[in-house]
Amino acid sequence: MTAPAAPATAPTPTPTPTPTGSVPVTDGHIVVDSVGKDYVALDGHVVHGLQPVSLSIEKGAFVSVVGRSGCGKSTFLRLVAGLEDLTTGSITIGAERVSGPPDSVRYVFQNYGESLLPWRTVGDNVRFGLRHGHGPRRAHGRTAEDQLIEQHLAEVGLHGTFSRYPGELSGGMQQRVAIARALAASPDVLLLDEPFSAVDALSRGTLQELILRIWQERGLTVLFVTHDIEEALFLSQRVIVLRPQGAGVQRDAAVDIPYPRDQVDFREDERYLALRRDVLGLVLQVEREAS
Amino acid sequence: MTELANTPPVARGTVPGPRPGADDAADLLVSLPPSDETPPVPLAVAGGPAPAVVRRSPFRRFVRSRGTGWTLVVLVVIVWQVSSFIHFEPTISSPDRIARTWWREITEGQLLPQLGRTLETMAIGFVLAIPIGITIGFLMGRSRIVWGLLEPSVEIIRLTPVSAILPIFILFLGIEQEMQVAVFLTAGLFPLIINSYAGARSVSKVLSQTAQTYRLSWWQTQREVALPSAMPYILVGARQALGISLVLAVVIGMLAGNSGIGYYILLAQQEFNINRLLAAVLTVALIGYLLNALFLLAERRISRWRRTSIGEG
């Protein structure tokens, strides 16, 4: 990308010394090894966007990353997506070492309104995903392609919206289009950056169920960033809590509650309540210490 | 018009000594609209909100949105006509006389050939300006190298009034079509460059990152994401270029050359042929209105999706 405007922040060439907590990471679908990110602030100071983090995510896992704003969770996701350069460490996805957006990964943005192509119909937005997809071309000819697009739209519950424009749809439906577009690219890994935080509460519930269904049916590896601890616990097998101000991983908690999970029953489950109290207390405690 | 009203009525065909039109022409050139007069964000096409579901025919939509405005125009013409029956003032003539002159000038006079010549020249300049202007502006917005290379020249030439460049063109290219094409090209180029640049710069960060995560090449990103995203701006630029070209179309004929609609208007004025003068001016106004309407229609077509988000039917 050759945009004329100078980026406000640039990666520093100096690596942070002594990466902490370097665990032997050999197995796993996504392997994050001592990954850190520094920015240069406008006044020339070096800001730690993310202090070295190491973790391994196995194939087909649903993992959430939570934390207060400014904890580096979005930075972490953008690093995995190859949208930003690493200051330290390395990330491998499958056999591919991340340097730029990996082929097998698709990213769902929080800001669906700006991520969709507003001049294209819903169907043509999904076609964009299909044409710029991972692996061999799945449809030959316009008719076959249209059929495949209809299937993807049906998968996210958007029957009969093929020739509508994104601007005609509600926020929740637009995010569904973005998800259908990502799925059309047949990725192995789906990265979601606070995908439902701009959506109204009722739609959020159905979208959460939708993403769980897609994850299970397709066997995707999902990395989900959110500031909502309850959402993270409901969706994931594993929740990673980041310390404030990019200070790295605070807690890596397994959510040992079987699927399918019910929106109402799940929130009355003892194990959920215990985990929620635990994680929430942790976040609030750190908050108090900081102030 | 006020000046004309003060001049004494003169019999048809008399040619006065000095050229009273020269100063007017100079004024016109100076008052060329600056290219950034219109806001860079394209405004919605004027028109009342219509229900989104019902598809109306273009004609009915037109009547709905502009009906009252055109009624006003018709009323003014009727009042003018009626008042000319009551008391005829030769300096402002009357609609029926102008219409008769207009019809004669169109069918057997010089109005159409002269207008045609001007429009042809304008079209050549415009058609040349479109690809060049869009390419330069868009690439300046998308590539730091191109921007660095061209920004100083564009800024210098852009802020130089065409009226100042005109003598240079006349000196090197004469007063024939080559010079006129060059003027149209220069004048049309800058609104296109500025707006295409603004459009290219307006591509949102999320959209660029979306293109990145779908691993589009540089060329694919420009073609599939950046250019369509910039299109509303580019259309505004094209419409501004058209507006400036129309002004120049008349002015060039008045300042240089011995053909074209500007020359025709000047001649009619010098001969104090009020009917012919007004017929020609109204024709130019009509052409301007039609070309603009054509552009708006094209804009509606191309950016159909925008109306859905703006909430217009």
Side-chain angles (χ1 to χ4, degrees):
Chain A
M1 299 300 287
T2 46
T9 54
T12 40
T14 49
T16 319
T18 61
T20 51
S22 192
V23 289
V25 275
T26 47
D27 212 18
H29 192 191
I30 304 174
V31 176
V32 177
D33 187 12
S34 321
V35 164
K37 174 74 181 175
D38 294 342
Y39 296 100
V40 179
L42 287 176
D43 60 1
H45 278 85
V46 175
V47 178
H48 297 302
L50 187 69
Q51 283 181 20
V53 166
S54 293
L55 50 96
S56 170
I57 295 168
E58 70 239 60
K59 194 161 178 60
F62 198 124
V63 177
S64 285
V65 181
V66 296
R68 305 284 299 204
S69 30
C71 72
K73 56 185 190 296
S74 287
T75 305
F76 176 69
L77 201 68
R78 279 202 300 276
L79 291 172
V80 176
L83 287 172
E84 286 185 36
D85 294 329
L86 301 167
T87 308
T88 61
S90 70
I91 298 172
T92 43
I93 295 177
E96 197 180 352
R97 191 180 162 130
V98 175
S99 61
D103 197 17
S104 62
V105 175
R106 285 301 176 270
Y107 193 100
V108 176
F109 292 84
Q110 176 184 5
N111 199 340
Y112 44 80
E114 281 183 42
S115 178
L116 294 173
L117 310 175
W119 56 87
R120 287 197 184 200
T121 61
V122 167
D124 285 338
N125 265 284
V126 179
R127 195 187 308 280
F128 180 88
L130 211 55
R131 294 254 170 105
H132 302 289
H134 166 53
R137 211 172 149 180
R138 288 190 295 144
H140 295 275
R142 189 90 179 176
T143 341
E145 209 176 63
D146 284 357
Q147 275 173 3
L148 205 54
I149 292 167
E150 287 285 10
Q151 279 174 30
H152 285 298
L153 286 174
E155 192 178 353
V156 297
L158 285 178
H159 254 309
T161 56
F162 192 107
S163 48
R164 306 278 291 277
Y165 284 93
E168 295 176 287
L169 306 181
S170 71
M173 285 167 92
Q174 288 185 37
Q175 193 59 292
R176 282 168 195 261
V177 178
I179 291 169
R181 181 178 66 179
L183 294 178
S186 54
D188 299 330
V189 178
L190 203 57
L191 306 177
L192 300 109
D193 184 14
E194 305 211 23
F196 309 142
S197 58
V199 171
D200 66 281
L202 282 175
S203 306
R204 196 178 306 146
T206 48
L207 280 167
Q208 285 167 353
E209 279 159 18
L210 173 74
I211 206 75
L212 276 182
R213 202 189 73 220
I214 288 165
W215 164 63
Q216 284 168 331
E217 283 174 4
R218 289 178 168 251
L220 295 167
T221 304
V222 177
L223 196 51
F224 191 100
V225 161
T226 177
H227 61 264
D228 184 344
I229 290 166
E230 294 175 12
E231 181 177 60
L233 289 171
F234 174 71
L235 291 172
S236 338
Q237 300 171 314
R238 184 178 162 198
V239 174
I240 292 159
V241 185
L242 293 185
R243 290 175 200 276
Q245 278 138 29
V249 176
Q250 181 176 29
R251 182 66 168 270
D252 191 338
V255 187
D256 287 320
I257 303 169
Y259 298 89
R261 295 171 179 175
D262 181 85
Q263 286 276 19
V264 180
D265 292 345
F266 183 79
R267 288 176 211 277
E268 291 166 3
D269 192 298
E270 298 274 315
R271 290 165 291 182
Y272 161 75
L273 290 172
L275 264 172
R276 180 173 166 271
R277 188 178 307 124
D278 186 21
V279 173
L280 208 58
L282 217 59
V283 172
L284 292 176
Q285 178 201 334
V286 172
E287 201 78 10
R288 257 179 250 123
E289 279 170 10
S291 63
Chain B
M1 293 303 252
T2 44
E3 238 186 87
L4 272 175
N6 290 334
T7 48
V10 177
R12 202 174 277 172
T14 325
V15 181
R19 287 180 46 174
D23 287 340
D24 298 351
D27 275 354
L28 265 175
L29 265 178
V30 175
S31 65
L32 272 181
S35 56
D36 50 356
E37 187 181 69
T38 336
V41 177
L43 299 168
V45 181
V53 197
V54 187
R55 284 217 173 271
R56 291 177 186 283
S57 72
F59 179 72
R60 284 192 58 184
R61 199 168 56 214
F62 180 84
V63 169
R64 239 179 110 84
S65 62
R66 315 277 159 83
T68 39
W70 277 104
T71 312
L72 179 69
V73 173
V74 170
L75 270 178
V76 168
V77 172
I78 289 172
V79 168
W80 184 4
Q81 183 66 50
V82 169
S83 64
S84 77
F85 277 133
I86 299 162
H87 173 76
F88 181 70
E89 183 67 54
T91 48
I92 58 168
S93 194
S94 67
D96 64 318
R97 280 159 200 262
I98 294 168
R100 237 176 287 138
T101 311
W102 182 74
W103 182 249
R104 198 176 56 240
E105 286 299 310
I106 279 199
T107 46
E108 53 203 64
Q110 277 293 303
L111 182 53
L112 273 193
Q114 300 291 5
L115 185 67
R117 208 164 303 166
T118 301
L119 287 180
E120 183 199 310
T121 315
M122 193 174 104
I124 296 173
F126 195 66
V127 164
L128 286 175
I130 285 224
I132 300 173
I134 293 175
T135 308
I136 293 177
F138 185 77
L139 287 181
M140 276 176 74
R142 299 296 298 175
S143 157
R144 207 186 181 120
I145 299 167
V146 177
W147 184 84
L149 186 71
L150 295 180
E151 198 267 348
S153 335
V154 166
E155 276 302 290
I156 291 169
I157 304 174
R158 173 175 84 93
L159 295 170
T160 312
V162 184
S163 52
I165 307 176
L166 195 58
I168 304 175
F169 281 164
I170 293 176
L171 190 63
F172 287 103
L173 298 170
I175 57 167
E176 296 307 319
Q177 205 179 26
E178 294 88 11
M179 179 276 289
Q180 302 192 354
V181 168
V183 170
F184 285 124
L185 176 61
T186 316
L189 213 50
F190 290 91
L192 280 163
I193 290 179
I194 306 296
N195 284 285
S196 305
Y197 171 76
R201 299 289 290 125
S202 77
V203 179
S204 83
K205 202 179 168 195
V206 174
L207 206 54
S208 304
Q209 288 184 339
T210 302
Q212 273 180 278
T213 55
Y214 283 84
R215 295 165 56 91
L216 271 69
S217 65
W218 186 87
W219 175 242
Q220 285 174 327
T221 305
Q222 310 315 318
R223 197 165 53 88
E224 291 185 46
V225 176
L227 192 60
S229 181
M231 196 47 84
Y233 289 79
I234 293 173
L235 289 173
V236 167
R239 204 144 53 82
Q240 282 180 6
L242 183 77
I244 293 179
S245 295
L246 276 171
V247 173
L248 284 172
V250 178
V251 170
I252 285 182
M254 290 178 171
L255 276 188
N258 46 20
S259 68
I261 190 68
Y263 180 72
Y264 178 95
I265 289 175
L266 198 65
L267 218 59
Q269 192 237 20
Q270 285 169 358
E271 294 168 357
F272 288 96
N273 190 332
I274 305 294
N275 287 333
R276 205 196 291 167
L277 175 65
L278 290 181
V281 170
L282 288 175
T283 309
V284 172
L286 192 71
I287 293 287
Y289 185 85
L290 284 178
L291 284 177
N292 197 54
L294 214 67
F295 247 84
L296 285 175
L297 201 73
E299 247 178 79
R300 271 181 101 88
R301 265 291 143 87
I302 294 174
S303 47
R304 204 149 47 98
W305 57 271
R306 293 196 111 246
R307 298 209 309 283
T308 62
S309 25
I310 290 167
E312 201 190 320

